[in-house]
Amino acid sequence: MNNKLCGLLGIAKRSGHILIGFDAVRAALLAKKAQLILLACDCSPKTEKELRFAGKDTTCPILSVDETKEELAAALGLEKPVAVTATDDPGFAKAMQKHIATT
């Protein structure tokens, strides 16, 4: 598990810059507010396909991470598994991308 990425997710959540779940992420993507979307490694292919289709007219990166749904939930301080999360803050998005690229 990427501790830096999980730490950033926790900080972003506490600061109010994390969107959790398919509906919230898709709405932010369509409103062009999402800066980065993260998909759990065990995310459904259908979920990924629908998000990529919704984001075809945006430049928002949609990245798959090595963490499972349970690991993403733990990083966000949640008990229920999280397949999709996004940030609406460009600074958090840049930092998260940097730590995803270095794993």
Side-chain angles (χ1 to χ4, degrees), residues 38-44 63-65 67-69 72 82-84:
L38 302 177
L39 305 172
C41 62
D42 54 351
C43 175
S44 160
L63 304 176
S64 183
V65 294
E67 286 72 28
T68 64
K69 293 180 211 175
L72 279 181
V82 175
V84 180

Side-chain angles (χ1 to χ4, degrees), residues 42-89:
D42 54 351
C43 175
S44 160
K46 181 181 177 195
T47 298
E48 181 176 359
K49 179 182 173 185
E50 288 183 21
L51 284 173
R52 290 197 186 278
F53 180 76
K56 69 180 183 216
D57 296 329
T58 69
T59 58
C60 178
I62 301 173
L63 304 176
S64 183
V65 294
D66 293 334
E67 286 72 28
T68 64
K69 293 180 211 175
E70 288 77 19
E71 290 171 333
L72 279 181
L76 294 166
L78 303 171
E79 292 182 19
K80 188 176 176 182
V82 175
V84 180
T85 188
T87 184
D88 59 3
D89 182 82

